[in-house]
């Protein structure tokens, strides 16, 4: 007898998984697929971080249950990071909790603070956990745009005027995944003022805090005076220190939200493996040159991608931050839609990208391209794409017979 489970029925098929399955099958058959689909860093963590992991793992007493909210030293290290990077003071005891990556943290917070029927404002397109974490918890999602302009604030006002019950939570994600859009402090000041006036809690996902380009550092919503009254913010070591598989993240901010999340987590987990937490301390407290080095490398990859794909006939706006480019489909192939385009590109150009529709219906017409291959592979991807475009009759620049 087949069972239909309430929460499973609320989850649609994961569109991006369709392309992932095709990529896996192609690789299994021996084809050389250049994978620009998943945001999985290809760089190693700093050596001193790995050394600390090994050192602590050799200790006989390091293998028991850890602390769900994070070991005190790691919470202090994260508080020091916020002071050093943003000039924001946070109490490591009551305003910081360690998460198993920001994805788990967002899901745990949704579980802690959402009642069935609550209305949550979330960006469209968005990283899936920003909507489905709350859907799993029983909430209803009302979409708002990602572009931080007047239309964004108009949509917030419209949502508050015409939604029943009134929205109680707003999710923001800048630099955005998938669009790579960024905001300045004035945007957050206006947003915090709006949230306080409307009694809305803000959840900020700042996973790409250190991947910014062209000399424009990202800002934290907690830099706004009074933001901790309404906001909580998530960061991660996944991209900053190339520690994606280590699952190390943090939530910082509003004490009530931190307390609720900490209590739920205490029922769900015993915290990350202690040696990993110790290594995370080494990452945050140790030399920070690797952060700038990684930023420069992703910046160079961004420029190579934009240049070589442009010569292949695909104009891609240079992202101001994150490890992704949000690329509009070439006009001659836009009729395919992002999912079919991604499938065809995988099959005929042997390049994997993520279809924009997988991030929400407003992502249709785009694909997300991850900067997770080296310079040579990016140039090869551009050559493959150019060859496919020519086969499809797409006009490519005649000045160059090669892209790269």
């Amino acid at each position: 007898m087949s069972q239909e489970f309430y929460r499973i029925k609320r989850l649609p098929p994961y569109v991006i998984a369709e392309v992932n399955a095709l990529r896996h099958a192609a690789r299994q058959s021996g084809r050389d697929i250049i994978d620009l689909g998943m945001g999985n860093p290809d760089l190693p963590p700093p050596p001193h971080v790995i050394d600390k992991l090994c050192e602590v793992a050799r200790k006989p007493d390091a293998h028991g249950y850890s602390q769900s909210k994070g070991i005190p030293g790691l919470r202090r290290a994260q508080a020091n990071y916020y002071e050093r990077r943003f000039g924001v003071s946070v109490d490591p005891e009551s305003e910081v909790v360690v998460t198993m990556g920001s994805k788990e943290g967002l899901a745990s917070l949704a579980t802690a603070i959402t009642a069935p029927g609550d209305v949550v404002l979330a960006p469209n397109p968005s990283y899936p956990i920003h909507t489905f974490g709350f859907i799993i918890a029983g909430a209803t999602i009302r979409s708002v745009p990602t572009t931080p302009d007047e239309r964004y604030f108009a949509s917030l006002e419209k949502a508050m005027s015409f939604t029943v019950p009134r929205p109680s939570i707003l999710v923001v994600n800048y630099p955005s995944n998938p669009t790579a859009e960024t905001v300045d402090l004035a945007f957050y000041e206006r947003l915090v003022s709006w949230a306080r006036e409307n009694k809305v809690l803000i959840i900020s996902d700042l996973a790409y805090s250190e991947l910014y380009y062209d000399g424009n550092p990202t800002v934290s919503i907690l830099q706004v005076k009074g933001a901790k009254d309404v906001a909580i913010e998530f960061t991660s070591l996944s991209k900053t220190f190339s520690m994606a598989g280590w699952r190390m993240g943090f939530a910082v901010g509003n004490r009530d939200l931190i307390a609720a999340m900490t209590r739920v987590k205490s029922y769900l987990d015993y915290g990350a493996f202690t040696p990993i937490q110790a290594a995370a301390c080494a990452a945050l407290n140790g030399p920070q040159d690797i952060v700038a080095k990684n930023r420069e490398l992703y910046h160079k990859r961004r420029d190579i991608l934009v240049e070589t794909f442009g010569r292949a006939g695909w104009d891609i706006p240079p992202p101001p931050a994150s490890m992704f480019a949000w690329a509009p489909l070439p006009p001659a192939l836009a009729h395919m839609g992002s999912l079919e385009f991604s499938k065809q590109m995988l099959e005929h150009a042997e390049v994997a990208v993520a279809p924009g529709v997988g991030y929400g219906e407003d992502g249709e017409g785009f694909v997300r391209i991850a900067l997770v291959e080296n310079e040579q592979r990016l140039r090869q991807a551009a050559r493959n794409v150019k060859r496919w475009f020519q086969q499809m009759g797409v006009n490519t620049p005649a000045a160059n017979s090669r892209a790269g």
Side-chain angles (χ1 to χ4, degrees), residues 37-365:
M38 188 175 182
N40 197 9
D42 62 320
L43 308 171
H48 71 275
V49 173
I50 298 174
D51 291 344
K52 177 58 71 172
L53 172 73
C54 296
E55 173 195 328
V56 179
R58 290 190 184 98
K59 296 181 178 180
D61 60 351
H63 299 273
Y65 296 125
S66 191
Q67 293 189 33
S68 178
K69 67 185 294 186
I71 61 176
L74 183 52
R75 285 182 276 116
R76 286 195 298 271
Q78 176 66 353
N80 291 337
Y81 165 74
Y82 261 79
E83 182 69 56
R84 182 174 71 238
R85 174 67 169 79
F86 301 113
V88 173
S89 297
V90 293
D91 180 356
E93 190 59 36
S94 62
E95 296 177 333
V96 180
V97 62
V98 178
T99 66
M100 295 185 191
S102 55
K103 189 174 184 179
E104 175 274 323
L106 284 157
S108 291
L109 179 62
T111 300
I113 67 174
T114 308
D118 281 356
V119 176
V120 174
L121 301 174
N124 187 349
S126 72
Y127 187 55
I129 196 65
H130 296 153
T131 53
F132 291 110
F134 289 97
I135 288 172
I136 291 169
T140 298
I141 301 296
R142 176 161 179 147
S143 295
V144 295
T146 59
T147 303
D149 55 13
E150 287 304 319
R151 178 172 164 259
Y152 178 88
F153 285 99
S155 73
L156 294 184
E157 294 295 346
K158 188 175 181 181
M160 299 310 294
S161 298
F162 298 105
T163 309
V164 179
R166 280 166 61 89
S168 55
I169 297 167
L170 169 66
V171 181
V172 294
N173 172 215
Y174 298 105
S176 168
N177 180 5
T179 71
E181 292 168 300
T182 58
V183 296
D184 57 15
L185 201 56
F187 172 86
Y188 281 142
E189 287 170 348
R190 184 174 176 183
L191 196 65
V192 167
S193 175
W194 173 88
R196 290 165 68 100
E197 181 181 337
N198 288 279
K199 297 181 172 54
V200 172
L201 298 170
I202 301 175
I203 299 171
S204 169
D205 184 355
L206 189 58
Y208 298 92
S209 60
E210 300 306 325
L211 290 185
Y212 57 84
Y213 311 123
D214 306 314
N216 294 313
T218 56
V219 293
S220 163
I221 194 171
L222 299 182
Q223 290 175 260
V224 177
K225 184 178 180 180
K228 282 193 285 187
D229 293 341
V230 295
I232 186 172
E233 188 162 72
F234 289 87
T235 57
S236 167
L237 301 189
S238 294
K239 312 307 189 295
T240 305
F241 294 98
S242 302
M243 295 168 63
W246 298 51
R247 308 316 300 133
M248 268 284 103
F250 305 89
V252 174
N254 180 273
R255 292 177 181 232
D256 292 338
L257 293 176
I258 293 291
M261 184 177 162
T262 301
R263 185 169 181 182
V264 164
K265 278 177 60 62
S266 71
Y267 285 91
L268 297 178
D269 68 69
Y270 286 107
F273 185 38
T274 299
I276 291 180
Q277 295 196 54
C281 289
L284 287 169
N285 294 333
Q288 299 298 297
D289 56 333
I290 187 66
V291 178
K293 184 178 177 182
N294 284 353
R295 184 186 306 124
E296 290 169 8
L297 187 145
Y298 282 115
H299 193 167
K300 185 176 182 182
R301 289 180 179 181
R302 179 201 74 167
D303 292 346
I304 289 169
L305 175 83
V306 171
E307 177 198 351
T308 59
F309 276 56
R311 291 209 302 265
W314 191 355
D315 290 329
I316 298 175
S322 85
M323 62 190 301
F324 305 112
W326 187 237
L329 300 186
L333 301 178
H335 64 278
M336 289 184 177
S338 62
L339 180 56
E340 184 61 26
F341 176 88
S342 300
K343 290 179 180 179
Q344 294 291 327
M345 188 159 139
L346 178 66
E347 175 62 27
H348 300 292
E350 297 187 319
V351 176
V353 295
V357 72
Y359 302 94
E361 64 269 22
D362 288 352
E364 185 53 271

